[in-house]
Amino acid sequence: RIEFVIAAGKEGGRGALCLARLELRERAPDPVPWPDVKRAVQGDRLTLDFGVPREFNGLALQWPAPAPDYDVFGRDGTGGPWRLLRRVRGSDGALDALYLPESEAWQLRIHRRRGQAWPDVALRSAAQWPTLDAALAEQAAALRHGEMPRAYLQQQNYWTLVGVDGGGARSGLMSEDGALEIGRGGASVEPAVRVNGGAAVTWADVKIEHTLAGGHLPLPRATWTHPQFRLVIEAAADGPAAAPQLLARYTLRNITATRQTYTLLLALRPWQVNPPQQFLSTPGGARSLRELSWTEGLLKADGQALLRPTQPPARVSALPFDGGLSLESLAAAPPLRLLNDPQAYASALLAFDITLAPGAEHRLGWAAPLATGAAPAALDDGAMANRFVAAEAGWRARLDRLVIEGPPELQRLAATLRTSLAHMLMSRDGPALRPGTRSYARTWIRDGAMMVAGLVRLGELAVAREFTDWYAGHIFASGKVPCCVDARGADPVVENDSHGQYLYAVAEVMRHGGDLAFARRHWPQAQRVVAWMEALRQSERGAANRTPERAHLFGLMPPSISHEGYSDKPAYSYWDDFWALRGYKDAVFIASTLGQGAEAKAWGAMREEFERELAASIEATARRFAVDFIAGAADRGDFDATSTTMALNPAQAALPRARLEATFERYCELSRQRADGRRASPDYTPYEWRTVGALVRLGRADCAHEMVDFFLRDQRPAGWNQWAEVVLPDPRAVKFLGDMPHAWVSSDYIRSVLDLLAYEREADGTLLLGAGLKPSWLEQADIAVRGLVTASGPLDFALRRQPGGWALHLERAGAPARLHWPGTGPLPAATRGDGTPLPWQGRELALPPAPATVQLAR
C-alpha cells in the first residue's frame, strides 16, 4: 500500500506550503474470517488458533465483567514456543486496547491470573492501528463522551500558546476545552467537576467561552458554564526565557440558589494538547509517562518536577495504562506515592473537595516548570494571584504602547494586533524568530524579515535588531543567504528570495533605529550578499534568454523553490524578483547611509536596470500566456495574488498599473465567490492577510474590508485572537493545522492592519493616513492612533467628530503627511486651523507640518 499524507507546512528548508509524506507499507493479507478461528478454553487459558500466521498491530479485548490480571502469549506454529506479548495487571474491566506493533502469530493465548470471564478478542491491523493514538481513539469511543479529548473522538481541536517572550518551545498550550500541555511534547492536565458526588462533568457537558485577559493579553481563559457551576480556567507563564514556568488557575463558582459540594478533578494524562495529526518537528498525540510520584506537595514524572498545586488536594491517585483511562477508574485508584508503569503511559488525578454557598467561589492553581530544572517553589493562592497580576502588567506594558481608538470593529482589529505581537514574541527562541513552537524548530529569513517589518512599526526595535544580528552570523562566506537556520546550522537549499529579505531586515532596523554601529556591523555581509545576488541576476541575462522563446525570463532571478507554491519544481517566481528588487533598493540605502558613495552609485544602476527588466518580463509573460494579470511565475503564467502582494509591499515596485489592478480585481471577485458559496472554499493559509495591505495600497479599501471580514470569521476560537497556519472549511475536520497560533501569519496580520491606519509611500516620501479606514467608522466614533512607529519617527493623529464635520489633529509626524479621505460622497471642505483653504489632490490632502489641526466640513 502507498499512503500519501498531504498537509500544509514547511519541511527540509523548502518553505513548502504543500507537503507530501510518502509511506510504503506491505499490504497485510485479508483477514481470515473469525468463524474459522478455533477457540479453546482449558482452565485459566484461552487459546485462539487462526490456522495461518496472522499479522497485527494490536488486540482489542472487550471484557463482559471486571477483568482479571492476565498475560497474552503468541507463537508461530502449533508446536513452537510461546512468547510473551503483553502482561496486563489491574485492568478496569472495559475495553483493553493492547497496542502491539508489527506482531505476527499463528496462535494467541490469554492466561488469566484471576477472574471468571473471558473477553471478545479482535485483531487490529496496521491499517486500523498504525499508531498508539489510533488505539487510544478506539478506547475513547468506548468511554463516556468527554472522558478523553476531542482529538481522540474524530474532532479537530484548537489550542493557543502560553509562554514568555523568547521562550519558544519552552511554552505551554491551552486547548479550547481547558486542558493544559506542560511544555513542548509534554503531558496534559485536564479538568473535570463532580457535583454532590455525581458523575464527573467534562468539557462535553458544558458550554465553553474563550477570552483573553484584557481582551488581548496572551493569558487565555476557557470558561465552563453548567447549570450547577461556572469554572474559569486561566493560564499564564512567567520567569526567564531559559527557564519559564507555566501557571494555571481554576475559579469554581456556585451559580445555584443552594449550597453545593463540588470536587474539582485535575487529571494528568499521557498525551499532548497538540493532537495526533500534527506530525512536523513535534509529532502530536500520546506522550510517555513511565514513573509518577507524589511527595511533599509535588507531582513528579519520570524523576522530574512536574507541577505543584497551591493547595493540598484531598486525594492523589494514579493508574498504570492498563488500569484504564476513565475518570471513574482513576478516582477509585490507590493513593499515589510511587507508580512505575511498564507501558509508560500512566495517569494521575488530583481531587480537591470544595463546598460553596450560593454565589460563592473558590480559587486554586498550580505551577509547572517549562524547562528541565528546579521544582517550583511552594506557593499559596495569594502568591499565585500576584504572579498572574505581574504577568498581566508585563504584557500590558509591552503590548499597549500603540494606542488605537475607534468604533468596536476597529477595537477588535486592535486587540488582535496586540495579541499577534505577543504570539511573535512568545514563539521566538531567544533571538531566533520562528513561525511556531511545535511544528517548526527552525528559523526562516523569509518569515523573519516580514516579522521584523511588523516589529519595528510596533516599537520592538531591540527584538528586530537582535534577530538580524543573529541571522547575519549564518550567512555563507560566498554571500549566499541561507533560507533557514536550525540546530544543525544554515540550510544550503537554493531559495532566491533570501538575499533581498536579509538586506530588507537590515534596512528596516536602520530606518527605524538610526543605529550606525548596527549598519557598520552588517556592511561586510551586505557587500557579499549584493555581489551574490548580482551574480544570480547576471546568470539570466545571457544569450539563452534573448531568444523569443525565453525573452520573458531575461534578467530575472534564477529558478528556485522559495515561493510556497513551487516546491514541486523550481520556478522563475516573481516572488523572488520582488524581494530581489527590495534588496537592491535597500542595499543602496545602506551604502548611502554609511557614506559609501561608489557602492551606492553602482548598486543604484543595478537596481534601475533590474526594475526595468522586471517590468518588461511581467508584460512579456502576460502576453505569452494571454493573461491580463501579473503571473506568479514567469515560466508558469499562474495566478497567485498572495505572492504578487510583494510587488506592493515591501517592494513598492514601479509596475504597469493596469496589470496590478487586473490582478487584484480578479482576486476580489474570486474571494467574493468563495465567501458567498458560489465557489468551493478549500483549506487555505491566513498568509492571505497580506492581500489586505496590498489592496489598501492599491486604493481598494472596499475589497480590503471584505477580506478583513472573511478572515476574522476564521479565528478559532474567536476569543483567542488567532489563526492556525491552515484554516479548514469544516472546523471539526481532522487535519494537520501547522502551528497555532502561527507567528508568520501574525506578522502578515500586523502589517496589513497597520496599513489600514497609515503607511509610508516610497515614491513621494510621504506618510499616507487613513487609506484603509472604513467609511462607517467615521460616523460611529472618533478615531485616534498614537505611538505608531515610522522610519521618520513616531506618528500620532486623530480624526474627531464635531458639528458639521471632523477635525484632523496631526500631533506628531516626522515626514510630510497626507490624508486619504476614506468617506464616501463629496470630499469635505478642508481648511487650516486659521481658516486657510487646503486643496484636495484626487482624494488626498497634503497636511501642514505637525503639530497641526485641519477642519473638514461636510
Side-chain angles (χ1 to χ4, degrees):
R1 182 180 63 173
I2 301 176
E3 178 176 307
F4 288 94
V5 179
I6 306 298
K10 304 172 185 173
E11 188 61 60
R14 294 178 173 246
L17 172 63
C18 186
L19 293 178
R21 185 178 74 213
L22 173 63
E23 296 183 3
L24 300 178
R25 296 180 182 173
E26 182 179 355
R27 181 185 173 97
D30 293 333
V32 175
W34 277 103
D36 294 341
V37 176
K38 296 178 180 178
R39 183 181 172 107
V41 175
Q42 184 177 13
D44 287 331
R45 294 178 175 85
L46 167 66
T47 302
L48 303 176
D49 188 339
F50 305 116
V52 294
R54 292 293 306 274
E55 294 180 352
F56 55 94
N57 256 29
L59 299 174
L61 281 68
Q62 184 66 58
W63 294 90
D69 294 341
Y70 61 94
D71 298 331
V72 179
F73 297 88
R75 66 177 176 179
D76 297 331
T78 56
W82 290 99
R83 63 185 187 281
L84 180 67
L85 299 180
R86 183 72 174 269
R87 175 167 286 122
V88 178
R89 299 291 182 269
S91 170
D92 65 348
L95 172 69
D96 285 351
L98 309 184
Y99 181 58
L100 303 167
E102 299 183 8
S103 295
E104 184 175 2
W106 187 303
Q107 292 178 317
L108 289 175
R109 171 170 289 175
I110 298 174
H111 184 188
R112 188 175 61 192
R113 298 295 176 179
R114 60 179 176 82
Q116 302 299 319
W118 291 110
D120 290 330
V121 182
L123 300 184
R124 293 292 182 257
S125 67
Q128 293 169 305
W129 284 3
T131 63
L132 173 61
D133 290 303
L136 289 173
E138 185 159 334
Q139 284 187 289
L143 294 174
R144 189 168 66 90
H145 192 67
E147 295 255 10
M148 289 178 67
R150 294 178 194 271
Y152 293 112
L153 295 170
Q154 299 305 307
Q155 293 184 37
Q156 183 64 260
N157 72 301
Y158 295 90
W159 61 92
T160 196
L161 184 64
V162 188
V164 300
D165 174 28
R170 297 174 296 279
S171 55
L173 299 180
M174 178 185 270
S175 82
E176 62 178 304
D177 296 318
L180 283 163
E181 176 182 300
I182 304 176
R184 177 174 177 165
S188 297
V189 177
E190 300 177 345
V193 178
R194 289 190 196 278
V195 185
N196 298 324
V201 176
T202 70
W203 59 265
D205 307 311
V206 297
K207 177 183 177 182
I208 305 178
E209 180 186 8
H210 304 94
T211 56
L212 298 173
H216 66 278
L217 304 175
L219 283 69
R221 297 169 177 166
T223 300
W224 288 14
T225 301
H226 182 269
Q228 294 174 296
F229 66 85
R230 180 174 294 116
L231 177 66
V232 180
I233 306 152
E234 303 172 90
D238 65 5
Q245 291 189 7
L246 179 64
L247 309 177
R249 186 165 61 175
Y250 305 84
T251 303
L252 183 65
R253 184 178 182 86
N254 180 359
I255 61 173
T256 73
T258 59
R259 189 177 185 84
Q260 302 285 351
T261 299
Y262 303 97
T263 302
L264 175 63
L265 305 174
L266 300 179
L268 176 70
R269 295 300 209 169
W271 47 72
Q272 307 165 60
V273 165
N274 197 32
Q277 65 270 20
Q278 299 289 107
F279 63 84
L280 281 180
S281 184
T282 307
R287 191 269 191 202
S288 66
L289 287 173
R290 181 174 295 277
E291 180 185 279
L292 297 177
S293 67
W294 173 258
T295 179
E296 297 181 350
L298 181 66
L299 182 63
K300 290 185 176 181
D302 299 326
Q304 297 292 321
L306 189 65
L307 66 83
R308 184 187 295 278
T310 59
Q311 299 173 20
R315 296 170 299 285
V316 180
S317 54
L319 278 178
F321 180 74
D322 290 334
L325 295 173
S326 76
L327 287 172
E328 297 301 325
S329 297
L330 191 52
L336 172 63
R337 290 180 177 82
L338 177 66
L339 172 70
N340 279 285
D341 182 6
Q343 309 308 325
Y345 291 96
S347 294
L349 185 70
L350 282 67
F352 301 84
D353 293 334
I354 302 165
T355 300
L356 294 176
E361 66 181 28
H362 184 83
R363 182 173 289 172
L364 60 88
W366 51 262
L370 289 169
T372 302
L379 74 166
D380 58 20
D381 293 299
M384 176 66 80
N386 291 337
R387 290 174 70 174
F388 265 83
V389 168
E392 182 172 335
W395 281 115
R396 282 192 186 279
R398 196 71 179 271
L399 304 179
D400 292 0
R401 290 180 290 200
L402 174 62
V403 176
I404 301 174
E405 299 174 2
E409 281 185 80
L410 181 55
Q411 286 301 306
R412 181 182 178 186
L413 294 177
T416 298
L417 183 143
R418 297 184 180 103
T419 310
S420 295
L421 173 58
H423 291 158
M424 288 201 297
L425 296 174
M426 291 189 296
S427 296
R428 73 185 188 119
D429 185 4
L433 296 173
R434 288 184 173 173
T437 64
R438 298 304 191 267
S439 289
Y440 301 117
R442 49 177 41 196
T443 294
W444 282 261
I445 185 61
R446 176 186 309 116
D447 303 33
M450 296 169 80
M451 290 184 202
V452 162
L455 289 166
V456 295
R457 293 172 77 180
L458 293 177
E460 291 289 346
L461 183 65
V463 174
R465 182 189 295 114
E466 187 179 352
F467 164 75
T468 310
D469 280 340
W470 172 80
Y471 207 93
H474 296 279
I475 296 174
F476 295 108
S478 62
K480 177 183 177 180
V481 179
C483 61
C484 58
V485 174
D486 59 20
R488 299 167 297 180
D491 195 315
V493 171
V494 175
E495 300 196 10
N496 289 328
D497 55 345
S498 302
H499 325 299
Q501 287 153 356
Y502 164 72
L503 294 168
Y504 176 63
V506 172
E508 281 291 273
V509 173
M510 289 174 59
R511 279 189 283 264
H512 291 79
D515 186 345
L516 288 179
F518 170 86
R520 293 188 189 101
R521 282 201 303 276
H522 287 266
W523 177 241
Q525 290 98 324
Q527 290 175 285
R528 293 198 301 272
V529 171
V530 174
W532 178 267
M533 192 165 64
E534 179 62 10
L536 292 176
R537 184 176 79 93
Q538 292 298 336
S539 72
E540 296 292 333
R541 301 184 76 249
N545 283 347
R546 294 181 184 274
T547 63
E549 294 77 19
R550 293 181 58 85
H552 61 299
L553 308 176
F554 182 83
L556 301 179
M557 287 291 109
S560 87
I561 61 170
S562 58
H563 175 51
E564 297 99 67
Y566 303 137
S567 57
D568 61 329
K569 179 183 176 182
Y572 283 90
S573 170
Y574 284 126
W575 167 282
D576 288 356
D577 300 306
F578 297 142
W579 275 112
L581 176 59
R582 184 70 258 168
Y584 279 116
K585 288 182 175 183
D586 286 332
V588 174
F589 167 75
I590 295 167
S592 299
T593 302
L594 291 175
Q596 303 292 335
E599 285 85 352
K601 182 178 179 180
W603 295 350
M606 297 172 190
R607 175 200 65 201
E608 292 170 4
E609 184 175 68
F610 181 62
E611 190 161 20
R612 287 195 306 270
E613 292 173 354
L614 173 57
S617 169
I618 287 171
E619 284 293 334
T621 297
R623 291 193 299 270
R624 181 178 184 83
F625 290 97
V627 297
D628 61 351
F629 53 80
I630 297 175
D635 55 338
R636 300 196 184 194
D638 53 331
F639 179 77
D640 188 352
T642 307
S643 169
T644 309
T645 59
M646 296 296 102
L648 291 154
N649 182 37
Q652 299 202 39
L655 298 180
R657 179 78 180 188
R659 298 288 184 202
L660 282 169
E661 290 179 347
T663 301
F664 287 96
E665 181 55 41
R666 175 172 176 160
Y667 173 78
C668 290
E669 177 54 30
L670 292 175
S671 297
R672 290 187 189 106
Q673 294 174 13
R674 175 175 58 171
D676 64 20
R678 288 178 290 153
R679 178 169 165 257
S681 181
D683 302 354
Y684 77 92
T685 62
Y687 304 150
E688 267 193 72
W689 264 107
R690 300 170 196 156
T691 61
V692 170
L695 288 162
V696 169
R697 290 171 182 258
L698 196 59
R700 291 299 311 275
D702 57 335
C703 183
H705 280 286
E706 292 176 27
M707 299 313 305
V708 167
D709 294 342
F710 178 82
F711 297 139
L712 286 177
R713 288 196 294 269
D714 288 330
Q715 286 186 328
R716 294 174 186 162
W720 283 350
N721 298 349
Q722 64 178 23
W723 291 267
E725 184 185 12
V726 181
V727 171
L728 311 173
D730 177 359
R732 293 301 177 196
V734 178
K735 292 186 179 180
F736 176 86
L737 293 182
D739 260 306
M740 181 174 192
H742 193 271
W744 194 21
V745 170
S746 297
S747 76
D748 286 323
Y749 175 84
I750 287 171
R751 294 182 307 111
S752 281
V753 169
L754 292 180
D755 282 357
L756 295 176
L757 306 172
Y759 65 86
E760 295 166 87
R761 189 164 59 193
E762 193 172 68
D764 58 3
T766 63
L767 295 170
L768 196 62
L769 314 182
L773 298 181
K774 206 170 183 179
S776 61
W777 294 350
L778 299 177
E779 306 296 337
Q780 296 174 28
D782 294 346
I783 296 171
V785 177
R786 291 190 296 276
L788 179 58
V789 179
T790 73
S792 57
L795 173 64
D796 300 339
F797 71 93
L799 261 171
R800 303 200 180 279
R801 295 169 299 163
Q802 60 184 26
W806 300 265
L808 171 65
H809 302 283
L810 185 63
E811 298 160 15
R812 288 194 296 176
R818 288 173 170 260
L819 173 69
H820 184 284
W821 183 245
T824 57
L827 294 168
T831 58
R832 292 174 181 265
D834 60 5
T836 305
L838 291 173
W840 289 92
Q841 298 173 329
R843 298 194 69 82
E844 292 183 9
L845 181 69
L847 302 176
T853 296
V854 174
Q855 301 296 328
L856 300 163
R858 295 180 188 270

